Amino acid sequence: MRKTPTTYVKTEEVLSDLGISTCEACTAKCLWFEGQLVFPAQVSAHQVPADLPPELQRDFEEAASIAAASPRASAALLRMCVEGLCKTITGKDKFESAIEVLEQQGIPDEIIIAMDVVRLTGNEALHAGKLYGSDDGKTVAILFRLASLIVNWAITEKAALKDLIDKIPPEKLEHIKERRQKAAAKAALKTPRSSL
C-alpha cells in the first residue's frame, strides 16, 4: 500500500521479480531485482593495481564499482583506462603508437594482441555510435586482467628490476658488462660469414 496525503491506496501491481532478504552476517536488509543484488552494492573483486598511475585509478575504481550492474559501461571505462595507461607509460598521444612502442620494448605478444583487440573493438563501437553493445561480464574480466598485466609488466616489474640493479655495487656491474661484451665478441667470431 502507498500513502497519499489523506489516506492509503491499495497497490494495483505487485512485482514478482523484486525481493528483500536479510544478510545472515550483519542482519542488514538486501534488495534483489530479477535475481541480482541491487542494494547494497556488491564489493568489487577487482583490486586497483598498486602501481597504476593516480590519474587512472578513478576510471579503474569506477569500472570495478559498476562491473556487475553495467558491464557495458564498465568495459568502456576500462578501455579508456588501458588506453590512458599505455599512453602514460610511453609518452605517446595515440593508442596505436603507444602499442608499437611497448612492442619494441619487449612486452609479451599475448598482451599486444589483447591491446590491439581493445583498440579495434573500441574504434568500431565509437564509429558505430554505440556503447559496446556486446560487452558482458566475461569481456570486463578480461579487460581488468589486461590492465593489471600491463601495469605489472611495464611498471611493477621494471621498478623491481631497477631496485635490484641499484643494489649491485658499481664495480660488479662494470665486471658483468665487460664479461658480456667479451662473450658477444667471441660469439660474433664463431658466427660463419655468409658466402658471397
Side-chain angles (χ1 to χ4, degrees):
M1 302 204 35
R2 57 191 170 89
K3 185 178 180 182
T4 62
T6 57
T7 182
Y8 286 91
V9 178
K10 184 178 179 185
T11 303
E12 295 178 10
E13 186 177 345
V14 175
L15 299 175
S16 61
D17 46 11
L18 189 65
I20 296 176
S21 66
T22 302
C23 176
E24 292 179 358
C26 67
T27 68
K29 296 293 183 192
C30 303
L31 180 63
W32 298 79
F33 181 69
E34 294 183 349
Q36 298 287 326
L37 181 63
V38 176
F39 180 85
Q42 296 183 48
V43 176
S44 171
H46 307 288
Q47 297 299 316
V48 177
D51 293 320
L52 183 68
E55 65 271 19
L56 300 170
Q57 287 181 5
R58 182 176 174 209
D59 288 341
F60 192 99
E61 289 169 349
E62 187 175 346
S65 71
I66 62 170
S70 181
R72 294 185 311 148
S74 181
L77 284 165
L78 286 167
R79 280 190 174 89
M80 285 178 19
C81 186
V82 168
E83 182 173 343
L85 177 60
C86 293
K87 290 177 179 178
T88 299
I89 292 167
T90 62
K92 295 293 180 182
D93 292 334
K94 292 186 176 179
F95 192 19
E96 187 172 359
S97 301
I99 291 173
E100 288 171 6
V101 169
L102 290 171
E103 192 169 14
Q104 291 165 1
Q105 291 177 355
I107 196 168
D109 287 342
E110 293 81 4
I111 296 178
I112 290 293
I113 291 167
M115 283 192 294
D116 267 335
V117 170
V118 168
R119 181 180 61 82
L120 293 171
T121 56
N123 285 346
E124 288 169 10
L126 179 63
H127 290 109
K130 59 184 179 182
L131 181 64
Y132 314 109
S134 61
D135 286 332
D136 57 12
K138 195 174 192 178
T139 304
V140 171
I142 291 168
L143 289 169
F144 276 116
R145 182 77 179 122
L146 178 60
S148 295
L149 284 170
I150 296 168
V151 170
N152 188 53
W153 180 86
I155 301 173
T156 308
E157 286 184 7
K158 287 186 178 181
L161 284 171
K162 185 182 181 311
D163 186 53
L164 181 66
I165 289 169
D166 288 347
K167 291 178 181 174
I168 299 173
E171 62 276 3
K172 286 200 177 202
L173 277 177
E174 189 59 36
H175 179 68
I176 291 168
K177 185 178 176 183
E178 287 172 10
R179 287 183 62 191
R180 289 174 56 87
Q181 287 173 343
K182 286 179 184 176
K186 192 174 180 180
L189 291 174
K190 289 184 179 180
T191 304
R193 294 182 181 177
S194 57
S195 57
L196 299 175

